[in-house]
Amino acid sequence: MKLVFFILLFTSFEQKDEVYIWFPNDVGVVQTCNGKDAEILIEITTESNKKIKVHSFNLDKSNFTIYKDDEAFKEIDTLILTKKNPIKLKVRYKISLENSKKFTFKTNVKKYLNNQVNIFYGQHIITTKDIRESKEQFINITESCQDSIMVFFPYGGTISSATLYNDSSSTKKIYKSVSYDLMEEGNSITFTKADLGRYFVDFGSCHWGGEFWLTIK
């Protein structure tokens, strides 16, 4: 009996000590022009109170400037991540469609020694966090060398949907909409320069949903 209790107690402590780190797998960049200035935002978070070392930042064979809290630092510097101190990065660079396709970094946590964020051009990716916080989305399509961009929505459940309206009144009319199954392709809406305007978005899924504004300019 004592042995069983010890195993359970040890397992409990082991699970509590397990470290998880969150960061986006993909980010979108509206610009599609070689040599055009671009900027990506990457937030790295954890629920652990341990001090996690984050270091060795790199942008796929491209020259870049990296900022934390709007202060530039060297890519060889080491940052400390904890639950109370998430790392919010801003990366500025000139686009090279041959390179500039992935941002990488390392940590001292075994499961997260090497990490990669994929960069997709001509796209804007809306996250679950954006919707839960009702964060208005601003997309400057005029910065793109293409005639259209794709706006991607998250997978909220078995079935998810996003509906755009011209306003938020009770008599609102649908402007564009999309519905998709879990992990099914097609979780995006294409916008052209003819779609400039401000739209009210209603996102829904099996267990949760949210509303926010989307501005195409």
Side-chain angles (χ1 to χ4, degrees), residues 169-180:
S169 69
S170 58
T171 58
K172 55 194 177 188
K173 294 182 179 180
I174 295 176
Y175 183 74
K176 288 178 182 282
S177 65
V178 64
S179 180
Y180 48 92

Side-chain angles (χ1 to χ4, degrees), residues 136-142 149 151 164-167 175-176 191-201 212-217:
E136 183 165 357
Q137 303 293 301
F138 295 92
I139 304 173
N140 192 349
I141 192 174
T142 59
I149 64 163
V151 176
L164 278 68
Y165 303 93
N166 286 312
D167 59 61
Y175 183 74
K176 288 178 182 282
F191 292 87
T192 70
K193 294 176 182 178
D195 293 312
L196 302 185
R198 188 169 186 252
Y199 304 100
F200 185 74
V201 184
F212 60 96
W213 288 95
L214 169 65
T215 297
I216 308 291
K217 58 181 181 177

Side-chain angles (χ1 to χ4, degrees), residues 32-55:
T32 56
C33 313
N34 271 317
K36 181 79 173 180
D37 290 333
E39 178 180 285
I40 57 174
L41 304 176
I42 298 171
E43 184 174 8
I44 307 171
T45 62
T46 183
E47 285 296 311
S48 175
N49 291 314
K50 293 183 176 180
K51 292 183 178 181
I52 301 168
K53 294 181 180 180
V54 184
H55 58 93

Side-chain angles (χ1 to χ4, degrees), residues 112-177:
Y112 303 95
L113 293 177
N114 298 286
N115 309 280
Q116 178 174 311
V117 179
N118 299 307
I119 304 173
F120 294 94
Y121 294 93
Q123 298 184 9
H124 179 85
I125 299 173
I126 297 173
T127 67
T128 298
K129 182 179 179 182
D130 290 336
I131 297 175
R132 290 189 185 277
E133 295 178 353
S134 299
K135 182 179 179 181
E136 183 165 357
Q137 303 293 301
F138 295 92
I139 304 173
N140 192 349
I141 192 174
T142 59
E143 293 181 344
S144 175
C145 290
Q146 297 179 341
D147 292 329
S148 64
I149 64 163
M150 299 176 69
V151 176
F152 284 82
F153 298 89
Y155 296 98
T158 305
I159 299 176
S160 303
S161 64
T163 306
L164 278 68
Y165 303 93
N166 286 312
D167 59 61
S168 60
S169 69
S170 58
T171 58
K172 55 194 177 188
K173 294 182 179 180
I174 295 176
Y175 183 74
K176 288 178 182 282
S177 65

